[in-house]
Amino acid sequence: MGKAVLGVIGGSGVYDLPGLTDLREERVESPFGSPSDTLRFGRIGGTEIVFLPRHGRGHRLSPSDINYRANIDAMKRVGVTDIVSLSACGSFHAELPPGTFVVVDQYIDRTYRRDSSFFGKGCVAHVSMATPVGPRLAARVAEAAEAEAAPVRRGGVYVCIEGPQFSSRAESLVYKAMGCDVIGMTAMPEAKLAREAEITFATLAMVTDFDCWHPGHDVVDVKAVVDVMKDNVERARRVLARLARDFPAEREACPAGSHRALDDAIMTAPGARDDEVLARLDAVAGRVLGR
Ligand SMILES: CSC[C@H]1O[C@H](OP(=O)(O)O)[C@H](O)[C@@H]1O
Ligand SMILES: Nc1ncnc2[nH]cnc12
């Protein structure tokens, strides 16, 4: 399976990852465009880490303006095998108050203006999203969070809205009634693209607010999110450090098949594939395209 390289995508409030040794920074260009920022390479213990802040340093990019394809392609290009994606989120349950870490295991995609696949005209592929999160990776994240005494919930449904506005109360109540546990604006299409790129993926969603469904709570605003994020961020960094310290040196087979997601996924007949499209799939689909 080769060596494991742990990618970390930082969300709102997480624009760097202190504690990396042998730190270096590199701008990695992708055939899908420019990633949100330079990639930062380093180590924690024996584990190689690649860090990318999805909104860019200074939080320049809104959820709809992030080039998710470039971010995931760049991570794949530099050898990342597993991604832990950090996200601030709202909660739909009184039992998941601000400060709770939810290790998400399912997503509902309500976004509508983002490129959500590396494939398309010239090379069509359909990967499974039935189990979008790597169960082993998620368990490692949850164990690290528990070891750092963070309040953790294992499993949860994350609904991803387009934003940048927060939801209306009617929307919030619908998502809650649908069985969603948390809400954010960025886990999709990140999780879909990681799957297409055969990178094992997990989201560590950090609750900052109760969105706006609860008549007894203040409605969410940026100040509330940022205030809670300040407390969450330090704990998140400790969780990541522990996760990295205990991370296997070799990539593990994913029980949900994320390391082989493209086996049998490409529909377009070899003779009907577009060479230009294939060229830009060199990193994402090189294993199955033989590039
Ligand atoms: C700052 S409030 C809304 C903002 O926070 C979340 O960001 P991220 O998922 O990158 O941590 C949410 O998705 C919105 O982008
Ligand atoms: N309530 C909320 N809705 C969407 N994104 C969020 N990020 C943090 N809180 C959020």
Side-chain angles (χ1 to χ4, degrees):
M1 291 279 285
K3 75 172 174 184
V5 178
L6 181 59
V8 176
I9 299 182
S12 292
V14 188
Y15 311 104
D16 62 2
L17 199 56
L20 294 183
T21 56
D22 304 329
L23 185 64
R24 74 184 170 84
E25 229 174 282
E26 196 183 316
R27 175 154 294 285
V28 176
E29 283 307 321
S30 153
F32 296 93
S34 295
S36 301
D37 210 317
T38 53
L39 298 188
R40 272 165 267 173
F41 298 79
R43 309 182 77 87
I44 295 180
T47 302
E48 276 184 47
I49 310 274
V50 181
F51 175 77
L52 176 64
R54 76 163 67 79
H55 299 279
R57 264 172 281 202
H59 206 115
R60 291 171 291 102
L61 299 167
S62 97
S64 309
D65 294 328
I66 292 166
N67 188 336
Y68 296 92
R69 294 197 302 181
N71 287 354
I72 298 296
D73 177 81
M75 287 228 160
K76 179 76 182 183
R77 220 160 263 289
V78 300
V80 166
T81 55
D82 300 76
I83 289 179
V84 175
S85 166
L86 304 180
S87 277
C89 66
S91 156
F92 293 118
H93 304 291
E95 324 77 81
L96 298 178
T100 309
F101 285 12
V102 180
V103 185
V104 167
D105 62 355
Q106 287 290 335
Y107 306 91
I108 292 180
D109 189 355
R110 299 267 307 169
T111 66
Y112 49 83
R113 65 179 192 94
R114 305 175 187 191
D115 288 323
S116 61
S117 178
F118 291 111
F119 297 91
K121 220 181 290 171
C123 188
V124 176
H126 304 279
V127 297
S128 167
M129 284 299 290
T131 308
V133 162
R136 251 183 217 150
L137 179 61
R140 286 183 183 281
V141 172
E143 278 156 23
E146 282 158 5
E148 288 299 331
V152 186
R153 154 88 175 265
R154 288 183 183 233
V157 179
Y158 174 124
V159 58
C160 188
I161 59 170
E162 184 61 48
Q165 302 82 3
F166 294 112
S167 300
S168 69
R169 183 161 294 116
E171 288 165 334
S172 192
L173 288 166
V174 167
Y175 300 141
K176 182 171 164 53
M178 277 164 63
C180 300
D181 297 300
V182 294
I183 180 167
M185 304 179 193
T186 60
M188 283 290 175
E190 236 174 46
K192 286 178 172 170
L193 294 167
R195 185 88 191 168
E196 288 188 344
E198 300 189 323
I199 296 175
T200 305
F201 190 83
T203 293
L204 180 59
M206 299 177 286
V207 176
T208 50
D209 60 86
F210 281 114
D211 203 44
C212 63
W213 59 273
H214 196 302
H217 292 137
D218 290 340
V219 300
V220 55
D221 60 23
V222 164
K223 184 180 177 315
V225 171
V226 170
D227 283 352
V228 179
M229 262 324 276
K230 282 186 189 140
D231 294 337
N232 286 348
V233 165
E234 264 326 297
R235 254 181 312 147
R237 287 185 177 136
R238 287 205 305 276
V239 171
L240 289 170
R242 184 177 284 267
L243 172 75
R245 267 204 317 271
D246 299 340
F247 212 67
E250 288 285 304
R251 185 177 191 184
E252 296 176 311
C254 171
S258 52
H259 62 296
R260 303 194 70 85
L262 291 176
D263 282 358
D264 308 318
I266 298 182
M267 283 292 291
T268 309
R273 294 176 189 168
D274 179 314
D275 278 340
E276 260 178 49
V277 174
L278 293 181
R280 62 179 197 194
L281 289 168
D282 62 332
V284 161
R287 187 184 71 80
V288 289
L289 294 175
R291 290 189 165 244

